[in-house]
């Protein structure tokens, strides 16, 4: 009896509590979903602002940005960081398939590669992601362990023959571009040159070399590898239209100026160094010109397209600009050494 009185007396109070907590909960859910919506709209707006700024460097080729760039800009807005990080492997993929393109690559790439790209107070950085770093390490290991066949005698004989024309000895010289020589072939080639360079002949030796201060483990190393790595892919797919660049080795990423000079001036028949010159400027001007022709000159473009795909054309333009930018920022240097007897 006592317990029934208890229930009866507290019944209304219990229902009152229940009702008020239901009302409270509803209010909380409603208001949090409203603030959630408001927050989502805020993030969207913030990321729109960032994406508009990004267009100073990168532009989407369709009416909307690919999801990745939306996601990156949203996370930048949330974290309130002042830098936008674009994964390198994704950027290369998207420029290749044409979903985004660099705005004025000639101007923006040197800024991007040196970490100085910024639009409206927002820094745009390339993030060397693990996927790309792994690809570079594997490629480097492969070119070192299984170098392509290289025949120094044939390589040199071709150049000697083509230079023995009508010119008078003493003014004649052979021109060697080492960029296609695998690292393992460098020493045999130079020893052969020492043995075969005729008296009164000069040899002008050109090659690209990376900034020796940057180690293989540095993220900048992967940035330097981009145009070289791509050439291997182009070579594999069998396209014949990118001339010498197609067959380049990884030499530029391994060799240093000091090493080449050391090889030329050592052993039993050392050569005399007549001059050493940094020709980066001439080289990047030539690369810029080549890129402009490929992009704008209809004849050059259709010659490329007759044996390549649209994707390969986009990549070729990008890698020409990329290599030029590496030379402009000093990550790579183009050297010319003239030697004689
Ligand atoms: C590149 O190498 C392939 C075979 O390794 C050769 O057939 C081709 O002629 C070379 N291309 C150039 C431009 O040297
Ligand atoms: C070579 O010249 C370029 C252009 O003037 C310069 O940026 C680069 O630092 C030079 N490289 C070296 C190693 O001096």
């Amino acid at each position: 009896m006592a317990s029934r009185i208890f229930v009866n007396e507290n019944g209304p109070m219990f229902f009152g509590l229940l009702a008020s907590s239901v009302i409270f909960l509803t209010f909380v859910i409603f208001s949090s979903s409203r603030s959630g919506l408001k927050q989502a709209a805020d993030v969207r707006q913030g990321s729109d602002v960032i994406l508009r700024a990004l267009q100073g460097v990168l532009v989407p080729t369709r009416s909307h940005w690919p999801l990745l760039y939306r996601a990156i800009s949203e996370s930048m807005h949330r974290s309130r960081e002042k830098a936008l990080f674009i994964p390198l492997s994704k950027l290369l993929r998207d420029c290749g398939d044409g979903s985004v393109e660099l705005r004025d690559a000639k101007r923006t790439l040197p800024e991007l590669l040196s970490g100085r790209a910024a639009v409206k107070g927002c820094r745009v950085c390339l993030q060397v992601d693990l996927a790309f770093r792994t690809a570079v390490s594997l490629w480097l290991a492969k070119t070192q362990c299984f170098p392509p066949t290289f025949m120094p005698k044939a390589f040199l004989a071709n150049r000697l023959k083509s230079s023995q024309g009508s010119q008078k000895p003493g003014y004649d010289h052979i021109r060697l571009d080492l960029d296609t020589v695998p690292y393992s072939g460098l020493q045999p080639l130079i020893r052969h040159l020492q043995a075969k360079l005729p008296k009164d002949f000069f040899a002008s030796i050109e090659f690209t070399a990376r900034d020796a201060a940057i180690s293989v483990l540095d993220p900048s190393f992967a940035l330097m590898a981009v145009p070289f790595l791509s050439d291997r892919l182009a070579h594999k797919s069998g396209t014949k239209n990118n001339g010498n660049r197609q067959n380049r080795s990884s030499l530029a990423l391994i060799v240093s100026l000091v090493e080449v000079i050391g090889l030329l001036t050592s052993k039993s028949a050392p050569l005399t160094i007549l001059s050493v010159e940094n020709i980066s400027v001439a080289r990047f001007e030539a690369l810029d010109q080549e890129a402009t022709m490929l992009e704008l000159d209809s004849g050059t473009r259709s010659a490329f397209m007759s044996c390549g795909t649209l994707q390969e054309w986009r990549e070729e333009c990008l890698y020409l600009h990329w290599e030029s930018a590496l030379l402009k920022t000093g990550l790579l240097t183009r050297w010319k050494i003239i030697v004689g007897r």
Side-chain angles (χ1 to χ4, degrees):
M1 195 64 177
S3 73
R4 266 187 66 186
I5 289 166
F6 180 78
V7 170
N8 280 349
E9 277 179 353
N10 290 285
M13 199 170 130
F14 174 72
F15 284 113
L17 260 177
L18 191 70
S20 59
S21 56
V22 165
I23 290 169
F24 178 72
L25 266 178
T26 317
F27 175 75
V28 166
I29 291 170
F30 180 71
S31 64
S32 77
S33 80
R34 263 195 54 169
S35 85
L37 279 178
K38 193 165 164 283
Q39 214 172 24
D42 184 46
V43 167
R44 178 98 190 168
Q45 218 172 20
S47 95
D48 280 343
V49 171
I50 295 167
L51 286 176
R52 264 199 300 277
L54 180 61
Q55 289 194 18
V57 175
L58 200 65
V59 277
T61 50
R62 311 204 177 96
S63 59
H64 55 86
W65 280 92
L67 289 179
L68 171 76
Y69 301 89
R70 170 69 65 189
I72 294 173
S73 63
E74 284 180 359
S75 83
M76 175 186 169
H77 176 76
R78 283 207 192 86
S79 68
R80 314 223 167 268
E81 247 188 282
K82 282 274 168 251
L84 190 81
F85 291 92
I86 303 174
L88 179 58
S89 61
K90 302 289 191 292
L91 179 77
L92 294 175
R93 180 199 63 189
D94 295 343
C95 286
D97 70 22
S99 49
V100 299
E101 60 187 26
L102 289 164
R103 179 190 289 269
D104 188 6
K106 205 161 128 183
R107 178 182 59 82
T108 51
L109 258 181
E111 291 175 359
L112 262 180
L113 295 185
S114 59
R116 283 185 290 105
V119 259
K120 298 186 183 144
C122 157
R123 284 201 310 134
V124 183
C125 307
L126 288 179
Q127 178 203 6
V128 179
D129 50 317
L130 190 63
F132 195 78
R133 245 194 249 210
T134 311
V136 170
S137 309
L138 288 177
W139 169 73
L140 211 56
K142 188 175 157 250
T143 61
Q144 291 290 87
C145 301
F146 310 101
T149 48
F150 173 74
M151 285 169 286
K153 278 183 191 152
F155 183 87
L156 203 58
N158 280 338
R159 269 94 185 154
L160 275 173
K161 217 167 33 203
S162 64
S163 68
Q164 277 166 338
S166 55
Q167 287 163 308
K168 284 179 273 174
Y171 295 94
D172 221 348
H173 71 280
I174 52 172
R175 223 184 128 252
L176 299 178
D177 183 340
L178 301 186
D179 280 5
T180 58
V181 177
Y183 184 67
S184 59
L186 181 65
Q187 184 163 352
L189 175 68
I190 289 183
R191 296 289 169 249
H192 201 62
L193 176 71
Q194 289 175 326
K196 284 281 149 43
L197 188 69
K199 213 172 171 310
D200 299 329
F201 259 67
F202 299 133
S204 110
I205 300 168
E206 287 185 21
F207 60 98
T208 308
R210 76 176 154 103
D211 180 349
I214 294 172
S215 91
V216 180
L217 300 175
D218 197 296
S220 302
F221 187 87
L223 295 178
M224 288 191 281
V226 168
F228 298 89
L229 194 65
S230 70
D231 288 343
R232 177 192 60 113
L233 299 175
H235 181 42
K236 221 165 146 190
S237 71
T239 48
K240 290 238 157 58
N241 33 38
N242 39 5
N244 254 330
R245 295 169 34 76
Q246 175 190 338
N247 282 359
R248 286 195 311 178
S249 68
S250 55
L251 186 78
L253 300 179
I254 303 169
V255 85
S256 68
L257 175 67
V258 174
E259 186 178 3
V260 176
I261 292 179
L263 284 171
L264 287 166
T265 54
S266 60
K267 278 288 190 272
S268 54
L271 296 168
T272 310
I273 305 281
L274 301 173
S275 71
V276 176
E277 196 185 345
N278 174 348
I279 54 163
S280 289
V281 174
R283 179 72 169 179
F284 70 62
E285 281 173 357
L287 288 168
D288 283 348
Q289 162 116 26
E290 207 181 316
T292 306
M293 288 292 281
L294 195 55
E295 283 168 340
L296 303 178
D297 181 73
S298 60
T300 312
R301 187 180 158 159
S302 56
F304 186 99
M305 293 302 290
S306 68
C307 42
T309 63
L310 189 57
Q311 166 137 9
E312 283 164 337
W313 173 78
R314 282 192 214 104
E315 287 173 350
E316 184 63 10
C317 295
L318 176 67
Y319 297 136
L320 283 167
H321 284 302
W322 201 286
E323 189 172 346
S324 164
L326 288 170
L327 291 160
K328 285 172 191 160
T329 55
L331 284 168
L332 291 180
T333 301
R334 181 83 176 164
W335 295 105
K336 178 176 175 180
I337 304 178
I338 297 185
V339 292
R341 276 258 160 258

